[in-house]
Amino acid sequence: MMLHPATVHFAMALPVVASVFGLVYLYSKSEMMSKTSLIMTIAAALAMTVAWYTGNQAGPEIFDYLSKAGKEELLEHKELGLYLAIATGIIALVQIVGYKMKNFAVQALAILLLLAATATTLLQGKHGGEIVYNYGMPFKAYMIEDSLHEATANAEATEDCDEKVEAYEDAIDEISSLSEEVDAVYGNTPKTQKEDDDE
């Protein structure tokens, strides 16, 4: 789970760097810039593949905790990530061919495709941020709300006071268990009761 945020930074930054070197090459047409652009494009393709792989591993860990909209966003994010990994790999291959053939037109095509992939990568990063901050952060609240609604329904279904109390105690246990699972997913250290009281 924690590998994906780290690898994503490389997948976001390297296509931008590769694009900058590519634009410099288009302007200068120098051999050194051609080689540098090629190396950075290959690095970007590898970073994109690693980011997709780590995201593919992390996604199922949080999927069940997300709202319906969050789940849809996550699936779209995964699909676009796969397309970007494939696209940057193909772009790198095109650029390798252009470099080996010393064909400026082929290299220019690869760089233009890279610019499009870079713009899409930035959009992908925006979607990833939405999953974390719009859907990921409040997912605990959604599940707590569901637990409390269920406890309320169970309590209203009985006249026995002990059963009403038991329904809410079960909800509290479920919420505590949920908090532990969420902390485990995010690698957080659970707060002690004393820390909660101090706050």
Side-chain angles (χ1 to χ4, degrees), residues 4-190:
H4 187 58
T7 57
V8 159
H9 287 92
F10 290 101
M12 294 287 292
L14 287 173
V16 173
V17 174
S19 295
V20 170
F21 279 113
L23 289 172
V24 172
Y25 166 68
L26 291 180
Y27 177 76
S28 68
K29 298 183 183 177
S30 76
E31 177 71 18
M32 185 181 78
M33 280 298 110
S34 174
K35 188 172 184 178
T36 305
S37 173
L38 171 62
I39 291 168
M40 294 310 300
T41 302
I42 293 170
L46 291 172
M48 195 69 70
T49 303
V50 171
W52 174 81
Y53 177 78
T54 58
N56 201 40
Q57 301 303 305
E61 293 185 35
I62 66 166
F63 186 81
D64 289 337
Y65 298 115
L66 298 174
S67 65
K68 183 180 178 183
K71 288 176 179 176
E72 290 173 0
E73 183 89 12
L74 183 62
L75 290 173
E76 290 174 8
H77 186 68
K78 175 186 174 182
E79 188 174 351
L80 183 55
L82 176 59
Y83 293 152
L84 280 168
I86 293 169
T88 52
I90 292 170
I91 291 166
L93 289 174
V94 171
Q95 197 160 354
I96 289 169
V97 169
Y99 178 80
K100 293 288 187 185
M101 294 172 58
K102 300 197 181 302
N103 188 316
F104 177 79
V106 174
Q107 290 182 80
L109 172 64
I111 291 164
L112 291 175
L113 291 172
L114 179 63
L115 289 171
T118 300
T120 308
T121 300
L122 296 176
L123 178 64
Q124 175 76 330
K126 177 180 178 293
H127 289 167
E130 287 173 358
I131 291 167
V132 173
Y133 296 108
N134 294 357
Y135 301 112
M137 293 302 188
F139 69 66
K140 189 188 288 190
Y142 286 122
M143 299 204 69
I144 288 171
E145 187 178 21
D146 287 345
S147 296
L148 291 175
H149 283 314
E150 185 179 342
T152 301
N154 290 339
E156 289 175 351
T158 181
E159 294 296 324
D160 187 283
C161 292
D162 290 337
E163 288 182 7
K164 288 180 183 288
V165 170
E166 186 178 344
Y168 285 107
E169 286 177 343
D170 289 345
I172 290 169
D173 290 342
E174 190 176 327
I175 290 166
S176 297
S177 175
L178 169 66
S179 293
E180 289 173 6
E181 290 177 24
V182 170
D183 286 331
V185 166
Y186 277 104
N188 298 330
T189 304

